[in-house]
Amino acid sequence: MSKTNNFDVQNTKICVLCGRTDDCPEKYGEKRTYVEYNLTVHYYCLLMSSGIWQRGEEDEGVDGFLITDIRKEVKRAAKLKCNICKKKGASIGCVAPKCKRSYHFPCGIQRECIFQFMEDFRSYCWEHRPVQEFMDKEPRGASQCTICLDLVEHLPVYTVLKSPCCKNAWFHRECLQYQALSAGIFFFRCTVCNNKDKFQIEMLRMGIHIPERDASWELEENAYQDLLHCYQHCDVKRCLCKKGRDYNEPDSKWEIQRCQYCGSRGTHLACSSLKSWEQNWECMECRSIFAKSGKYSKQKKRTLAASENSNGTPCLLEEPPPKSPRQSSGSPRSFLLQSPKIMCQNLSPCSHLEQPASNRVTVSPSPVMSNWNWSLRHKYLRQQRKEVCSILKELKVQVQTKTTRLNINAENIWSSALKGFRQRIFSPTNTIEVNFSNCKNRSKTNTSSASKHHFFQVLMLHLQNSSLLEGSFGKNLSLDFQALKENLYFEAGKMIAVSLVHGGPPPGFFSKTLFKCLVYGPENVKPALEDVADVDVAQTIKTIKYANSLSSLQSTLQDCCEFLTAAGCLRPVTALCDKNMLVNDILIYHVIKRITLPLESFRQGLKTLGVLEKMQRHPDVFSSIFCYKPERLSAETVYNLFTIHSSSDVNKVEGADFWMGYLQDVESGDSVVTLEDILLFVTGSSYIPAIGFDPEPTIKFLHIRYPIGNRLLNCLELPKTKRYQQFKNKMELTIRNTLRVEREYFCY
């Protein structure tokens, strides 16, 4: 038999049990390839397969599973079809009595099955899986996951687990699984009460895999070596040592003295005019903290001042960023600063477009240069929206043919939409049909596609103007306690995600600050004054920001003392330059910290159908549809949207010139219809969805009397005429009459 060390991991090899090439040890276990047996298998796929067991020793085959047994199991599974992906090779079956469901391990994970990595390794399908008991009196709100500290809803769902030993301890399943893999059986325990036995039994029952090995941090060589190192670097602005800031010579003036409070800043004795290492020294950061708290004595200040002036050498300390110890050029921190997540805020191709006016140098460009910049920006956004379209089409693969019907009251779309999205049978992966329940003339026209497009359009308009958001056009989240209590922020995020994937309009009303908070995390975002929607708060910040003397600044702070106290920004101000940090802290509190819970709930909603994940992977691309208004329809846009079906050259098609001329007339206002009307007539939508049209719009020139809009195929059938005026009259008569009937249907 092959030993376990005689294998070669190859990412391109296919697992013989699940048929996938994924190499994700956290999800599917280690993927091993045995070259001599031409065998590749995921460890979890093997472990959970129903028709195989360990008949060998640990060093035989694959951890005790003999190669001959594995081949037999592959043959057995080849006859079974997966109830999830419908492909053969489903080696895992539900153990519930009379349940005949079989599935692959990755498919089971995707469908939220439970696999118990204990005893006889049972598997339960999504219908028969074990659930945790929830007491009726338990609060149904939200709290922080005690591992990742993000918000977790108190709901009896697959992705959420509660501690069996602590009443108020809630976790994300994914967080628990990663912690279990890292901690191992000896260190995996409740993060709140430290209980091990009861906690592990419950987590194993709920499908958390706890490996029987030591913790990952215990297996690392020299894991604690860094604790023996002392900080040795001179942090003053002007280092006098010719041998560099890292040079340290004990018992000399070039000995490095560390801050007596934090120990994470240092100075050469000579650089700070210290006579010996016995003399205490504080870094600028610790000194400022003590000064603001009022605990820094005047006597100590005088002593330091005298020390600084001795030998005529001033103490010039760097003001390092808070909570960021100095790192070497090869440190993990310097790597993080170069990561795309951080760099794209400043170095993205569209950074010159997205920067707020306060961050740009004001130049008076010539009209030609201004038009050129606008054209570049327009071209760039159009290209980005094409990329968004492709990404959303990838997400749409999840949508199934099974339909969910939403009955919408045209007079109260928000309430009926909320009710529809919250119904038990609603699934974002189902095809959505919309029925307006109280519309007139329902039998006169087929409005199925128009109903859905109109529903998403009105829904996005309602969200834009709702109390969940504040601001003029660039919207930020507001703090609405009632909406938070009713979980409306989550529903709003979910609706936007569903709208994008199901053919709704792009939002286009997010501020850049809100978008960056969702993509990069609020801790990495610096808000601007234009993000403050409250006029009084904005005026207070402006007064502080533009104070031109210390006395006027202190007077302003005294007038708004209550506001600063509530914001946690009240502090002693001893210099005019302190106002900059104060303004920044107020902005962070009002725009970001104040709405932490709504923001997290909103993010959870946007995770629907994987939209938030794609936003985080392609931030520049998605900002084009979240932060910018949709492109206004033009004759050129509509013309390029349609493909003309013809067996001959498109330029020679009879009627093509009439079509382009008519679009130009409509754009210039020489028509009773609009470009939006034409699009609505053909596709049922007056806007171009972020995901585009499916199928793509086409045009056919036929020998018919009047134009026909085939919305099932998004096909516009146009009559062939000898004169342009005749073509124009037929177009306007048909489109105007058709849309008049629809407007009566939708009651608008």
Side-chain angles (χ1 to χ4, degrees), residues 349-366:
C350 61
S351 58
H352 65 289
L353 303 175
E354 297 187 5
Q355 284 183 350
S358 57
N359 294 343
R360 295 197 298 265
V361 178
T362 304
V363 181
S364 299
S366 66

Side-chain angles (χ1 to χ4, degrees), residues 639-640 642-660 701:
Y639 184 80
N640 292 332
F642 287 84
T643 301
I644 298 178
H645 272 197
S646 173
S647 57
S648 59
D649 185 1
V650 171
N651 296 322
K652 297 179 181 179
V653 174
E654 184 183 352
D657 291 341
F658 288 176
W659 165 242
M660 186 57 192
F701 289 92

Side-chain angles (χ1 to χ4, degrees), residues 15 30 87 187 194 235 237 307 323 370 479 524 641:
C15 173
E30 187 179 3
K87 295 179 181 179
F187 291 91
N194 227 22
D235 292 300
K237 279 190 176 179
S307 171
K323 298 182 182 178
S370 177
L479 182 59
N524 296 317
L641 187 65

